[in-house]
Structures are given as structure tokens and as C-alpha cells.
Amino acid sequence: MASRAPAATSRLMVGFRKWYYNACGFNKLGLMRDDTINENNDVKEAIRRLPEQVYNDRMFRLKRALDLSMKQQILPKDQWTKHEAVRKHVS
């Protein structure tokens, strides 16, 4: 019976992470969590070292989010950044 507790706790944590990810709202603008990090010197250096395609994708997401924010709109639900896609990208 003790072996079931960690699995239940893990499922609960995954459910909470998904809920929190959606509650933050940045996914409704097509952003990833890493796009919202405050840019200090270390982060600026990390961004500078990104591969060109990853950097271009990030800049596209940021520009689109700014445009949507100015228009006070959000993306259609099928274009929201999904928690599962971000987890795949990080791994």
C-alpha cells in the first residue's frame, strides 16, 4: 500500500502543475514560461548563446504576444502553448 502513495502524489503534482501553467495566462498569448523570465545579465548571456532558430522562434512569440496584448486579445484555444509541448521541449 505504501508503494501507491508516491504515484498518487506524483499524479496530484502533475495535475497541479498543469492547472498552474494554465492559470498563469502566458500560454494564452503563445508564450513559453522561459519567455517570461526577467532578463538580468545571466539571462541575456544565455539568450545570446541560443541557436539562431530557437532565438528567432522566441522573438516571434514575444512580438506576437506584445501585439495581442496591445489589441487586448488572446490566441484561439487551439494555438495556446500546451504544458505537454513545453515539457517535451525542455527534456
Side-chain angles (χ1 to χ4, degrees):
M1 191 178 281
S3 64
R4 292 184 185 177
T9 304
S10 177
R11 279 195 310 265
L12 181 65
M13 288 303 296
V14 168
F16 178 74
R17 285 185 192 126
K18 287 181 181 180
W19 172 84
Y20 184 74
Y21 184 83
N22 288 324
C24 287
F26 56 82
N27 65 323
K28 296 174 184 172
L29 298 173
L31 293 172
M32 294 186 177
R33 185 182 58 84
D34 292 342
D35 296 335
T36 63
I37 294 176
N38 188 19
E39 291 188 19
N40 59 24
N41 289 335
D42 293 334
V43 174
K44 287 179 184 176
E45 178 63 21
I47 291 170
R48 188 185 69 75
R49 294 181 181 192
L50 287 173
E52 186 176 359
Q53 184 60 40
V54 175
Y55 177 80
N56 290 339
D57 291 345
R58 180 179 189 274
M59 293 310 296
F60 171 78
R61 289 190 305 269
L62 289 171
K63 288 178 181 180
R64 179 178 57 184
L66 284 171
D67 184 52
L68 288 167
S69 180
M70 289 179 63
K71 294 178 182 177
Q72 297 183 351
Q73 297 176 346
I74 60 173
L75 290 171
K77 192 163 185 156
D78 62 328
Q79 294 181 19
W80 291 4
T81 309
K82 298 188 180 27
H83 183 263
E84 295 80 14
V86 173
R87 296 306 306 162
K88 268 192 243 178
H89 186 265
V90 172
S91 298

